[in-house]
Amino acid sequence: MLIDNHGREINYMRLAVTDRCNLRCFYCMPEEGISYVPKAALLSFEEILQVTEAFAKEGISKIRITGGEPFLRKDMMLLLAKMSQVEGIKEIHITTNGTLLEGKVGQLKELGIKSVNLSLDSLDPERFKQITRRDDLPKVMACMQDLTAHDIEVKINMVVMKGKNEQDILPMLELAKDQPVAVRFIEEMPFNGTEGQGNQGFWSHADILAAIQEKYALTRKLKDAAGSTSMNYSIDGFAGSFGIIAAYSRTFCGTCNRIRLTPQGLIKTCLYDNGIFNVRDMLRAGASQEAIVQALKAALNHRFKDGHAAEAHRKSQFPIFESMATIGG
Ligand code: SAM
Ligand code: SF4
Protein backbone atom coordinates (compact mmCIF):
# COMPACT_ATOMS: atom_id res chain seq x y z
CA MET A 1 0.00 0.00 0.00
CA LEU A 2 1.27 3.51 -0.82
CA ILE A 3 0.57 6.00 1.96
CA ASP A 4 1.77 9.59 1.95
CA ASN A 5 3.13 11.61 4.88
CA HIS A 6 -0.40 12.93 5.57
CA GLY A 7 -1.89 9.42 5.86
CA ARG A 8 -3.57 9.47 2.45
CA GLU A 9 -3.64 6.16 0.57
CA ILE A 10 -2.50 6.53 -3.04
CA ASN A 11 -4.13 4.07 -5.44
CA TYR A 12 -4.78 6.11 -8.57
CA MET A 13 -2.40 7.20 -11.36
CA ARG A 14 -3.30 9.65 -14.10
CA LEU A 15 -1.26 8.85 -17.13
CA ALA A 16 -0.84 11.50 -19.81
CA VAL A 17 0.30 9.57 -22.88
CA THR A 18 0.95 12.57 -25.13
CA ASP A 19 1.04 16.36 -25.04
CA ARG A 20 -0.21 16.61 -28.65
CA CYS A 21 -3.75 17.67 -29.40
CA ASN A 22 -5.99 18.16 -32.42
CA LEU A 23 -8.07 20.84 -30.64
CA ARG A 24 -6.90 24.16 -29.23
CA CYS A 25 -9.18 24.74 -26.27
CA PHE A 26 -8.75 28.33 -25.22
CA TYR A 27 -8.28 27.45 -21.52
CA CYS A 28 -5.66 24.77 -22.26
CA MET A 29 -3.40 26.00 -25.05
CA PRO A 30 -2.90 28.97 -27.36
CA GLU A 31 -4.10 28.96 -30.95
CA GLU A 32 -0.65 28.23 -32.34
CA GLY A 33 -0.31 25.24 -29.98
CA ILE A 34 2.44 24.65 -27.45
CA SER A 35 6.02 23.63 -28.10
CA TYR A 36 5.59 19.90 -28.03
CA VAL A 37 7.99 17.61 -26.24
CA PRO A 38 10.24 15.97 -28.89
CA LYS A 39 8.99 12.49 -29.81
CA ALA A 40 12.07 10.76 -28.43
CA ALA A 41 11.52 12.45 -25.06
CA LEU A 42 7.99 11.05 -24.71
CA LEU A 43 7.67 7.88 -22.67
CA SER A 44 7.41 4.84 -24.93
CA PHE A 45 4.52 2.41 -24.38
CA GLU A 46 7.02 -0.08 -23.03
CA GLU A 47 8.21 2.47 -20.45
CA ILE A 48 4.65 3.41 -19.53
CA LEU A 49 3.84 -0.25 -18.94
CA GLN A 50 7.02 -0.80 -16.91
CA VAL A 51 6.12 2.07 -14.59
CA THR A 52 2.50 0.91 -14.33
CA GLU A 53 3.58 -2.64 -13.45
CA ALA A 54 5.98 -1.40 -10.80
CA PHE A 55 3.41 0.87 -9.15
CA ALA A 56 0.55 -1.65 -9.49
CA LYS A 57 2.55 -4.05 -7.31
CA GLU A 58 2.55 -1.36 -4.60
CA GLY A 59 -1.17 -0.62 -4.71
CA ILE A 60 -1.98 1.55 -7.74
CA SER A 61 -5.18 -0.08 -9.00
CA LYS A 62 -6.89 2.68 -10.97
CA ILE A 63 -5.50 4.31 -14.11
CA ARG A 64 -6.81 7.26 -16.06
CA ILE A 65 -5.44 7.70 -19.56
CA THR A 66 -5.35 11.35 -20.54
CA GLY A 67 -3.15 13.84 -22.39
CA GLY A 68 -3.09 15.90 -24.69
CA GLU A 69 -5.48 13.90 -26.76
CA PRO A 70 -4.75 10.24 -25.99
CA PHE A 71 -6.23 8.93 -29.24
CA LEU A 72 -3.65 10.87 -31.25
CA ARG A 73 -1.08 8.42 -29.98
CA LYS A 74 -0.53 5.69 -32.55
CA ASP A 75 -1.57 2.21 -31.33
CA MET A 76 -3.53 3.63 -28.40
CA MET A 77 -5.85 0.59 -28.48
CA LEU A 78 -2.82 -1.67 -28.13
CA LEU A 79 -1.67 0.23 -25.05
CA LEU A 80 -5.16 -0.07 -23.56
CA ALA A 81 -5.18 -3.81 -24.27
CA LYS A 82 -1.81 -4.27 -22.59
CA MET A 83 -2.70 -1.98 -19.70
CA SER A 84 -5.86 -3.98 -19.03
CA GLN A 85 -3.67 -7.05 -18.50
CA VAL A 86 -1.33 -5.52 -15.94
CA GLU A 87 -1.75 -7.42 -12.71
CA GLY A 88 -3.33 -5.26 -10.03
CA ILE A 89 -4.93 -2.73 -12.40
CA LYS A 90 -8.64 -3.04 -11.68
CA GLU A 91 -10.03 0.02 -13.44
CA ILE A 92 -9.05 1.94 -16.56
CA HIS A 93 -10.73 5.26 -17.29
CA ILE A 94 -10.09 7.62 -20.20
CA THR A 95 -10.36 11.39 -20.59
CA THR A 96 -10.70 12.47 -24.21
CA ASN A 97 -12.08 15.22 -26.40
CA GLY A 98 -14.12 12.52 -28.17
CA THR A 99 -13.26 13.57 -31.73
CA LEU A 100 -11.18 10.55 -32.69
CA LEU A 101 -13.20 7.61 -31.33
CA GLU A 102 -15.29 6.75 -34.35
CA GLY A 103 -15.25 2.96 -34.80
CA LYS A 104 -13.34 2.38 -31.55
CA VAL A 105 -16.07 2.37 -28.90
CA GLY A 106 -16.99 -1.33 -29.32
CA GLN A 107 -13.37 -2.23 -28.66
CA LEU A 108 -13.29 0.00 -25.56
CA LYS A 109 -16.29 -1.92 -24.25
CA GLU A 110 -14.59 -5.27 -24.98
CA LEU A 111 -11.49 -4.09 -23.12
CA GLY A 112 -13.63 -3.32 -20.08
CA ILE A 113 -12.89 0.43 -19.99
CA LYS A 114 -14.74 1.57 -16.88
CA SER A 115 -15.68 5.10 -17.91
CA VAL A 116 -14.95 7.81 -20.43
CA ASN A 117 -14.81 11.51 -19.56
CA LEU A 118 -15.65 13.68 -22.54
CA SER A 119 -14.63 17.32 -22.67
CA LEU A 120 -17.52 19.44 -23.86
CA ASP A 121 -17.74 23.12 -23.02
CA SER A 122 -20.71 24.24 -25.09
CA LEU A 123 -23.62 22.68 -26.96
CA ASP A 124 -23.81 25.72 -29.21
CA PRO A 125 -21.80 25.02 -32.40
CA GLU A 126 -20.52 28.59 -32.65
CA ARG A 127 -19.36 28.77 -29.05
CA PHE A 128 -17.90 25.27 -29.24
CA LYS A 129 -15.86 26.50 -32.21
CA GLN A 130 -14.76 29.67 -30.43
CA ILE A 131 -13.62 27.73 -27.36
CA THR A 132 -11.90 24.77 -29.06
CA ARG A 133 -10.92 26.68 -32.24
CA ARG A 134 -12.18 23.68 -34.22
CA ASP A 135 -15.59 22.77 -35.67
CA ASP A 136 -15.97 19.32 -34.16
CA LEU A 137 -19.12 19.46 -32.03
CA PRO A 138 -20.97 16.83 -34.16
CA LYS A 139 -18.11 14.37 -33.63
CA VAL A 140 -18.20 14.81 -29.86
CA MET A 141 -21.99 14.40 -29.73
CA ALA A 142 -21.79 11.27 -31.89
CA CYS A 143 -19.12 9.90 -29.57
CA MET A 144 -21.32 10.51 -26.54
CA GLN A 145 -24.21 8.63 -28.17
CA ASP A 146 -21.92 5.79 -29.17
CA LEU A 147 -20.57 5.45 -25.62
CA THR A 148 -24.00 5.43 -23.96
CA ALA A 149 -25.29 2.99 -26.61
CA HIS A 150 -22.43 0.67 -25.60
CA ASP A 151 -23.33 1.15 -21.95
CA ILE A 152 -19.99 2.74 -21.07
CA GLU A 153 -20.23 5.18 -18.17
CA VAL A 154 -19.93 8.75 -19.50
CA LYS A 155 -18.96 11.89 -17.67
CA ILE A 156 -19.06 15.24 -19.42
CA ASN A 157 -16.37 17.72 -18.35
CA MET A 158 -17.28 21.37 -18.87
CA VAL A 159 -14.80 24.06 -17.87
CA VAL A 160 -16.81 27.12 -16.82
CA MET A 161 -15.21 30.31 -18.12
CA LYS A 162 -16.23 33.81 -17.29
CA GLY A 163 -17.59 35.62 -20.32
CA LYS A 164 -17.26 32.54 -22.53
CA ASN A 165 -19.81 29.87 -21.66
CA GLU A 166 -21.81 30.66 -18.53
CA GLN A 167 -24.95 30.48 -20.67
CA ASP A 168 -24.12 26.83 -21.39
CA ILE A 169 -24.32 25.68 -17.76
CA LEU A 170 -28.03 24.87 -17.76
CA PRO A 171 -28.24 23.32 -21.26
CA MET A 172 -25.25 21.15 -20.36
CA LEU A 173 -26.82 20.15 -17.04
CA GLU A 174 -30.01 19.23 -18.88
CA LEU A 175 -28.13 16.63 -20.94
CA ALA A 176 -28.47 14.56 -17.77
CA LYS A 177 -32.26 14.87 -17.81
CA ASP A 178 -32.82 12.04 -20.28
CA GLN A 179 -29.39 10.47 -20.51
CA PRO A 180 -27.52 8.53 -17.83
CA VAL A 181 -24.51 10.85 -17.91
CA ALA A 182 -22.75 12.74 -15.13
CA VAL A 183 -22.17 16.36 -16.11
CA ARG A 184 -19.26 17.91 -14.24
CA PHE A 185 -18.57 21.62 -14.09
CA ILE A 186 -14.90 22.46 -13.57
CA GLU A 187 -13.43 25.68 -12.21
CA GLU A 188 -11.00 27.12 -14.73
CA MET A 189 -7.34 26.82 -13.72
CA PRO A 190 -4.42 28.90 -15.02
CA PHE A 191 -2.80 25.98 -16.93
CA ASN A 192 -3.45 27.36 -20.39
CA GLY A 193 0.00 27.38 -21.96
CA THR A 194 0.06 31.18 -21.98
CA GLU A 195 2.06 33.36 -19.67
CA GLY A 196 -0.06 35.98 -17.98
CA GLN A 197 -3.44 35.03 -19.40
CA GLY A 198 -4.58 33.60 -16.06
CA ASN A 199 -8.16 32.90 -15.13
CA GLN A 200 -9.11 36.27 -13.74
CA GLY A 201 -12.61 36.63 -12.39
CA PHE A 202 -13.14 32.90 -12.63
CA TRP A 203 -16.39 31.14 -11.75
CA SER A 204 -16.01 29.40 -8.39
CA HIS A 205 -17.72 26.17 -7.39
CA ALA A 206 -20.13 28.24 -5.26
CA ASP A 207 -21.04 30.46 -8.24
CA ILE A 208 -21.71 27.40 -10.39
CA LEU A 209 -23.94 25.75 -7.78
CA ALA A 210 -25.83 29.00 -7.22
CA ALA A 211 -26.49 29.34 -10.97
CA ILE A 212 -27.87 25.79 -11.07
CA GLN A 213 -29.96 26.23 -7.95
CA GLU A 214 -31.62 29.31 -9.37
CA LYS A 215 -33.49 26.94 -11.67
CA TYR A 216 -33.26 23.64 -9.80
CA ALA A 217 -33.79 24.41 -6.14
CA LEU A 218 -34.24 20.75 -5.29
CA THR A 219 -30.73 19.49 -6.02
CA ARG A 220 -29.73 16.70 -3.62
CA LYS A 221 -26.17 16.09 -2.49
CA LEU A 222 -24.96 12.57 -3.30
CA LYS A 223 -22.37 10.65 -1.31
CA ASP A 224 -19.03 11.26 -3.05
CA ALA A 225 -16.81 8.27 -3.83
CA ALA A 226 -13.54 8.00 -1.87
CA GLY A 227 -10.94 10.38 -3.31
CA SER A 228 -13.52 12.09 -5.53
CA THR A 229 -12.64 15.59 -6.68
CA SER A 230 -16.25 16.41 -7.55
CA MET A 231 -19.08 17.34 -5.21
CA ASN A 232 -21.97 15.41 -6.70
CA TYR A 233 -25.68 16.08 -6.80
CA SER A 234 -28.84 14.61 -8.26
CA ILE A 235 -32.00 16.36 -9.40
CA ASP A 236 -35.37 14.61 -9.04
CA GLY A 237 -36.52 13.21 -12.37
CA PHE A 238 -33.06 13.33 -13.99
CA ALA A 239 -31.60 10.12 -15.45
CA GLY A 240 -28.07 11.31 -14.74
CA SER A 241 -26.37 13.47 -12.12
CA PHE A 242 -24.04 16.45 -11.93
CA GLY A 243 -20.89 17.36 -10.11
CA ILE A 244 -18.76 20.42 -9.48
CA ILE A 245 -14.97 20.23 -9.40
CA ALA A 246 -13.31 22.98 -7.37
CA ALA A 247 -10.09 22.58 -9.33
CA TYR A 248 -8.84 26.09 -8.59
CA SER A 249 -10.26 26.51 -5.08
CA ARG A 250 -8.81 23.09 -4.20
CA THR A 251 -11.34 22.00 -1.62
CA PHE A 252 -10.65 18.27 -2.07
CA CYS A 253 -6.94 17.91 -1.34
CA GLY A 254 -7.50 16.31 2.08
CA THR A 255 -8.57 13.03 0.46
CA CYS A 256 -6.39 13.15 -2.65
CA ASN A 257 -5.47 9.58 -3.70
CA ARG A 258 -3.66 10.29 -6.97
CA ILE A 259 -0.33 10.80 -8.63
CA ARG A 260 0.36 11.91 -12.18
CA LEU A 261 2.77 10.69 -14.83
CA THR A 262 3.38 13.29 -17.55
CA PRO A 263 4.12 12.46 -21.21
CA GLN A 264 7.80 13.28 -20.60
CA GLY A 265 8.05 10.98 -17.58
CA LEU A 266 7.69 13.38 -14.66
CA ILE A 267 5.97 12.07 -11.57
CA LYS A 268 3.82 14.75 -9.98
CA THR A 269 2.26 14.18 -6.58
CA CYS A 270 0.05 17.25 -7.07
CA LEU A 271 -1.28 18.99 -10.17
CA TYR A 272 0.16 22.23 -8.81
CA ASP A 273 3.74 21.00 -8.21
CA ASN A 274 6.15 21.15 -11.11
CA GLY A 275 7.38 17.60 -11.05
CA ILE A 276 9.13 15.60 -8.32
CA PHE A 277 11.26 13.10 -10.27
CA ASN A 278 11.58 11.76 -13.78
CA VAL A 279 10.99 8.03 -14.35
CA ARG A 280 11.99 8.27 -18.02
CA ASP A 281 15.47 9.45 -17.08
CA MET A 282 15.72 6.75 -14.42
CA LEU A 283 14.62 3.96 -16.78
CA ARG A 284 16.88 5.16 -19.59
CA ALA A 285 19.80 5.18 -17.15
CA GLY A 286 19.06 1.53 -16.36
CA ALA A 287 17.14 1.90 -13.07
CA SER A 288 15.21 -1.13 -11.83
CA GLN A 289 11.49 -1.16 -11.03
CA GLU A 290 12.49 -1.38 -7.38
CA ALA A 291 14.47 1.89 -7.68
CA ILE A 292 11.48 3.64 -9.25
CA VAL A 293 9.24 2.43 -6.46
CA GLN A 294 11.73 3.71 -3.88
CA ALA A 295 11.78 7.12 -5.61
CA LEU A 296 8.00 7.22 -5.49
CA LYS A 297 7.90 6.30 -1.81
CA ALA A 298 10.46 9.02 -1.04
CA ALA A 299 8.32 11.55 -2.95
CA LEU A 300 5.21 10.48 -1.05
CA ASN A 301 7.05 10.92 2.24
CA HIS A 302 7.45 14.60 1.42
CA ARG A 303 4.14 15.24 -0.26
CA PHE A 304 2.59 18.67 0.02
CA LYS A 305 -0.47 18.90 2.22
CA ASP A 306 -2.52 20.52 -0.52
CA GLY A 307 -2.42 22.26 -3.87
CA HIS A 308 -1.81 25.66 -2.30
CA ALA A 309 1.36 24.42 -0.57
CA ALA A 310 2.48 22.69 -3.76
CA GLU A 311 2.00 25.89 -5.75
CA ALA A 312 3.92 27.94 -3.16
CA HIS A 313 6.90 25.54 -3.40
CA ARG A 314 7.16 25.39 -7.17
CA LYS A 315 10.82 25.39 -8.14
CA SER A 316 10.29 27.59 -11.17
CA GLN A 317 7.70 28.79 -13.62
CA PHE A 318 5.88 31.65 -11.99
CA PRO A 319 3.28 32.54 -12.90
CA ILE A 320 1.88 29.13 -13.85
CA PHE A 321 1.74 28.92 -17.61
CA GLU A 322 2.14 25.28 -18.58
CA SER A 323 -0.64 23.76 -20.62
CA MET A 324 -2.81 21.07 -19.03
CA ALA A 325 -1.85 18.99 -22.06
CA THR A 326 1.79 18.87 -20.91
CA ILE A 327 1.07 18.12 -17.28
CA GLY A 328 -1.68 15.57 -17.75
CA GLY A 329 -5.08 17.03 -17.15
N1 SAM B 1 -7.74 16.08 -24.52
C1 SAM B 1 -8.49 15.40 -23.54
C2 SAM B 1 -9.70 16.18 -23.12
O1 SAM B 1 -9.79 17.35 -23.48
O2 SAM B 1 -10.55 15.61 -22.45
C3 SAM B 1 -7.68 15.01 -22.32
C4 SAM B 1 -6.70 16.02 -21.79
S1 SAM B 1 -7.40 17.51 -21.13
C5 SAM B 1 -5.96 18.40 -20.67
C6 SAM B 1 -8.07 16.89 -19.61
C7 SAM B 1 -9.09 17.76 -18.94
O3 SAM B 1 -8.44 18.93 -18.49
C8 SAM B 1 -10.24 18.19 -19.81
O4 SAM B 1 -11.46 17.82 -19.19
C9 SAM B 1 -10.10 19.69 -19.87
O5 SAM B 1 -11.35 20.32 -19.93
C10 SAM B 1 -9.36 19.99 -18.59
N2 SAM B 1 -8.63 21.25 -18.63
C11 SAM B 1 -7.69 21.63 -19.51
N3 SAM B 1 -7.22 22.88 -19.22
C12 SAM B 1 -7.90 23.28 -18.12
C13 SAM B 1 -7.88 24.49 -17.34
N4 SAM B 1 -7.08 25.51 -17.63
N5 SAM B 1 -8.70 24.56 -16.27
C14 SAM B 1 -9.53 23.53 -15.96
N6 SAM B 1 -9.59 22.36 -16.66
C15 SAM B 1 -8.80 22.25 -17.73
FE1 SF4 C 1 -6.74 19.34 -26.33
FE2 SF4 C 1 -7.96 18.44 -24.18
FE3 SF4 C 1 -6.37 20.61 -24.04
FE4 SF4 C 1 -8.69 20.76 -25.36
S1 SF4 C 1 -8.41 20.36 -23.15
S2 SF4 C 1 -6.68 21.53 -26.10
S3 SF4 C 1 -8.90 18.75 -26.20
S4 SF4 C 1 -5.74 18.56 -24.48
Side-chain angles (χ1 to χ4, degrees):
M1 211 190 254
L2 295 165
I3 309 268
D4 76 7
N5 49 324
H6 303 282
R8 296 171 290 201
E9 185 187 342
I10 309 299
N11 55 18
Y12 173 16
M13 176 159 68
R14 295 177 70 101
L15 236 168
V17 294
T18 181
D19 59 344
R20 274 85 170 148
C21 194
N22 56 327
L23 303 190
R24 289 287 178 276
C25 303
F26 159 87
Y27 50 78
C28 180
M29 54 171 88
E31 187 152 21
E32 65 277 14
I34 49 175
S35 50
Y36 292 131
V37 175
K39 267 215 168 104
L42 293 175
L43 284 177
S44 66
F45 280 175
E46 205 174 75
E47 288 166 335
I48 290 174
L49 287 164
Q50 267 180 286
V51 176
T52 307
E53 274 167 22
F55 292 174
K57 284 183 195 142
E58 302 298 318
I60 294 290
S61 58
K62 172 177 172 182
I63 297 286
R64 174 170 304 281
I65 305 285
T66 178
E69 175 44 45
F71 289 93
L72 273 181
R73 185 101 189 223
K74 205 163 148 264
D75 293 334
M76 188 58 216
M77 301 309 277
L78 186 64
L79 176 71
L80 289 173
K82 290 196 167 160
M83 185 69 69
S84 66
Q85 281 161 15
V86 173
E87 210 181 319
I89 297 302
K90 298 193 186 111
E91 293 179 15
I92 302 177
H93 304 253
I94 302 173
T95 299
T96 169
N97 63 33
T99 60
L100 303 171
L101 267 76
E102 196 182 347
K104 297 193 172 91
V105 172
Q107 221 182 323
L108 294 182
K109 179 74 185 172
E110 278 164 26
L111 288 171
I113 298 305
K114 186 98 169 57
S115 76
V116 174
N117 288 9
L118 276 183
S119 288
L120 181 57
D121 305 304
S122 178
L123 293 170
D124 174 79
E126 210 31 59
R127 271 197 301 282
F128 179 94
K129 196 170 158 189
Q130 275 168 15
I131 293 169
T132 63
R133 301 181 178 110
R134 300 289 185 271
D135 205 1
D136 282 335
L137 179 61
K139 287 188 191 160
V140 185
M141 297 310 285
C143 179
M144 184 171 76
Q145 300 306 340
D146 207 1
L147 289 164
T148 50
H150 281 85
D151 215 11
I152 296 181
E153 187 184 336
V154 176
K155 293 180 184 160
I156 306 290
N157 283 350
M158 170 177 167
V159 178
V160 180
M161 290 160 284
K162 194 175 172 68
K164 290 258 182 243
N165 65 350
E166 299 103 322
Q167 61 275 61
D168 290 295
I169 294 176
L170 290 178
M172 199 67 77
L173 174 75
E174 285 160 2
L175 276 182
K177 210 175 213 166
D178 302 318
Q179 306 188 65
V181 297
V183 178
R184 289 122 49 89
F185 301 97
I186 308 178
E187 286 180 356
E188 185 183 5
M189 296 181 282
F191 301 106
N192 51 36
T194 316
E195 202 163 354
Q197 184 174 289
N199 57 340
Q200 291 90 354
F202 84 116
W203 267 60
S204 75
H205 58 100
D207 300 330
I208 298 167
L209 186 60
I212 291 171
Q213 287 190 316
E214 258 182 44
K215 176 156 182 194
Y216 293 102
L218 296 176
T219 53
R220 275 185 294 117
K221 179 86 185 65
L222 297 172
K223 192 172 181 310
D224 300 324
S228 169
T229 51
S230 55
M231 294 169 279
N232 300 298
Y233 302 84
S234 68
I235 299 178
D236 289 341
F238 272 47
S241 61
F242 78 93
I244 302 179
I245 303 183
Y248 188 60
S249 306
R250 290 160 260 187
T251 53
F252 43 67
C253 302
T255 55
C256 180
N257 61 349
R258 64 197 62 194
I259 54 172
R260 290 181 148 78
L261 178 56
T262 72
Q264 61 274 42
L266 274 174
I267 291 285
K268 289 165 71 78
T269 61
C270 174
L271 183 59
Y272 286 83
D273 71 39
N274 57 358
I276 308 295
F277 68 99
N278 193 307
V279 285
R280 177 202 61 202
D281 295 348
M282 290 182 74
L283 285 173
R284 293 184 190 177
S288 63
Q289 286 196 354
E290 180 54 29
I292 294 166
V293 167
Q294 287 316 319
L296 177 63
K297 288 185 173 168
L300 292 178
N301 273 334
H302 295 93
R303 193 167 181 234
F304 296 111
K305 182 169 157 281
D306 57 32
H308 297 285
E311 185 178 356
H313 284 87
R314 284 166 68 89
K315 292 189 279 292
S316 59
Q317 296 169 343
F318 273 105
I320 289 175
F321 64 87
E322 304 109 296
S323 160
M324 277 290 270
T326 345
I327 60 180

